[in-house]
Amino acid sequence: MSEDLGTVNSVTIGVLRERTPGETRVALVPQTVQDLRAQGLDVVMESGCGAGAYFDDAAYALAGARIASSPRDVLTSTDILAKVRAPLPDEIGMLRSGSLVIAFLDPVRDDDALRGLSEAGIAGFSFNAVPRITKAQAMDAMSSMSTIAGYKSVIVAAASLGRIFPMLMTAAGTIAPARVLVIGAGVAGLQALATARRLGAVTAACDARPAVREQIQSVGAVFIDMSVTMEETAGGYAQLLDEEMYRLERDAIRDHVANSDVVISTAQVPGARAPLLIDAAMVQAMRHGSVIVDLASESGGNCELSVPGETVVQGGIIIHAPFNIPASVPTHSSQMYARNVWAVIKHVVRDGSLQLDFDDDILKAACIARPAGAPA
Ligand code: NAD
């Protein structure tokens, strides 16, 4: 890497195997280990931690990591623990006071882990809380994972649709292209549009933020004007609308949903339940064999008939509401995630040692666990 961290004075980055069921990602890939080592940082990794993402111990060792046989061996020598999911209580118990954990830490789901970290004098940097500002862009792991999810949502839809995406003119007749509608054109939505278009679909999208019209058009999709608009927050996020606005929005997209072979919904408002944008009647008006992929499933879903975490068939319509899509693309998800982790490490290793300035605007927002006594 070109950026120099100064003379690094034995800062050790630790990586554990993820123990959350279904979690295949790993926090560092061999290339980032090599980059960290080139900057003088030490890396210790639990044996087998990269197996779910198809990286073996030999590749990590070659990149300069020390391979440890147990979590204890990793944790007792770690200054910065890089994880995908929150550490478990026994893992927190083995970490040193003054260390830092970097992971997706959910303020609600991981409440116990966050309290455990603070009580043990450990800071917790959460990718869920990184502000969407230019200087934090390289740390935006939420966007990295949404990019993967947007791509994969189209692959999931294409695999279960009884039709093909591209237009074909053959001796056996002409096949019309699939029509794909994306509701919510943020990071995941734009990537879904681009992917569907590459597969040959005719694409369209709507969003409540008028600012995205040009972005939708730039990936070859038709912008559907719902005549429902909202101001975006300073962080570039949508805001909650009132129920009457959502009703108008459902009316505005009703026919578009009915005429689509695939609907991918990604509408979210941070910190709130996902808005209900596809009601049961809209699903029932779709052609049999059509597919909905509800990416907002983890915050309740955009479709009334979604069952979060599952795939269901309702009146001939296939509705996917998957959790943790990035784990189904573990190699590239881990590669992108590792780059985001590396950006955080570059931000906190200063003058050769771990330095946590909780007044810094990125750390102020993202360190949602702080050692007791640290500035709030
Ligand atoms: P984002 O904030 O970049 O995009 C969400 C978009 O929805 C924004 O453009 C916003 O303006 C739009 N929106 C909000 N309210 C709307 C409304 N009423 N009507 C139309 N559009 C509306 O978020 P993102 O990073 O693209 O993530 C999108 C969703 O995908 C989130 O719910 C996220 O949790 C989910 N996600 C799921 C997985 C998974 O594995 N299931 C993985 C990654 C992301």
Side-chain angles (χ1 to χ4, degrees):
M1 295 298 298
S2 53
E3 199 163 331
D4 195 353
L5 304 185
T7 312
V8 177
N9 212 343
S10 52
V11 172
T12 301
I13 316 297
V15 177
L16 291 180
R17 185 167 63 77
E18 299 292 327
R19 286 171 168 77
T20 305
E23 188 52 78
T24 54
R25 292 169 290 178
V26 59
L28 292 181
V29 300
Q31 181 60 56
T32 32
V33 171
Q34 201 176 320
D35 295 340
L36 289 160
R37 295 291 293 130
Q39 291 293 327
L41 293 127
D42 291 324
V43 181
V44 54
M45 311 194 68
E46 183 184 354
S47 177
C49 65
Y54 309 108
F55 299 110
D56 63 14
D57 288 353
Y60 285 117
L62 194 65
R66 178 169 74 79
I67 307 299
S69 56
S70 70
R72 175 175 296 280
D73 193 5
V74 173
L75 293 164
T76 51
S77 55
T78 285
D79 301 295
I80 300 176
L81 176 66
K83 285 213 77 229
V84 177
R85 302 296 193 109
L88 302 174
D90 57 330
E91 294 168 347
I92 295 172
M94 288 184 256
L95 274 169
R96 298 193 291 214
S97 170
S99 57
L100 171 71
V101 172
I102 303 172
F104 284 112
L105 301 169
D106 184 280
V108 177
R109 188 189 58 208
D110 299 323
D111 183 43
D112 288 346
L114 292 168
R115 201 169 327 105
L117 289 171
S118 298
E119 286 169 6
I122 299 160
F125 180 102
S126 172
F127 284 114
N128 303 48
V130 171
R132 267 187 174 171
I133 54 176
T134 309
K135 67 178 177 174
Q137 224 169 5
M139 304 173 202
D140 189 354
M142 295 288 275
S143 289
S144 301
M145 296 305 112
S146 288
T147 301
I148 299 273
Y151 159 83
K152 189 67 189 270
S153 66
V154 174
I155 306 301
V156 168
S160 54
L161 186 68
R163 300 166 169 268
I164 62 169
F165 269 34
M167 185 176 99
L168 287 188
M169 294 170 83
T170 77
T174 299
I175 289 180
R179 305 177 79 85
V180 175
L181 171 67
V182 170
I183 303 174
V187 179
L190 288 170
Q191 188 55 234
L193 286 171
T195 305
R197 171 102 169 158
R198 273 183 230 124
L199 284 177
V202 172
T203 52
C206 61
D207 197 293
R209 285 181 303 128
V212 298
R213 174 194 288 261
E214 281 175 19
Q215 292 171 29
I216 289 170
Q217 289 168 341
S218 75
V219 290
V222 172
F223 173 74
I224 297 169
D225 191 347
M226 303 185 294
S227 305
V228 172
T229 57
M230 65 170 79
E231 297 299 317
E232 58 188 54
T233 63
Y237 284 106
Q239 291 175 336
L240 217 50
L241 300 174
D242 63 29
E243 189 40 46
E244 174 59 9
M245 297 293 260
Y246 288 131
R247 194 186 60 74
L248 289 174
E249 188 173 338
R250 286 193 291 272
D251 284 345
I253 60 174
R254 199 168 289 278
D255 288 348
H256 295 281
V257 170
N259 292 326
S260 298
D261 299 299
V262 170
V263 175
I264 294 174
S265 71
T266 80
Q268 70 154 5
V269 177
R273 193 210 177 280
L276 189 66
L277 301 176
I278 310 169
D279 61 27
M282 292 162 82
V283 176
Q284 277 141 22
M286 293 176 82
R287 190 163 49 178
H288 275 207
S290 301
V291 178
I292 296 173
V293 183
D294 189 347
L295 276 188
S297 53
E298 283 175 18
S299 44
N302 294 136
C303 175
E304 190 178 359
L305 300 184
S306 290
V307 179
E310 295 189 19
T311 294
V312 293
V313 182
Q314 300 273 16
I317 315 305
I318 302 148
I319 307 173
H320 298 279
F323 288 159
N324 199 4
I325 296 189
S328 71
V329 193
T331 305
H332 276 150
S333 293
S334 300
Q335 181 180 317
M336 292 177 81
Y337 186 72
R339 296 299 300 186
N340 300 127
V341 168
W342 179 207
V344 178
I345 294 170
K346 279 195 279 196
H347 194 69
V348 295
V349 175
R350 302 260 169 96
D351 302 324
S353 61
L354 172 61
Q355 295 191 15
L356 295 172
D357 171 7
F358 295 114
D359 287 330
D360 166 81
D361 49 359
I362 297 176
L363 297 190
K364 200 177 203 162
C367 282
I368 60 171
R370 297 188 194 179

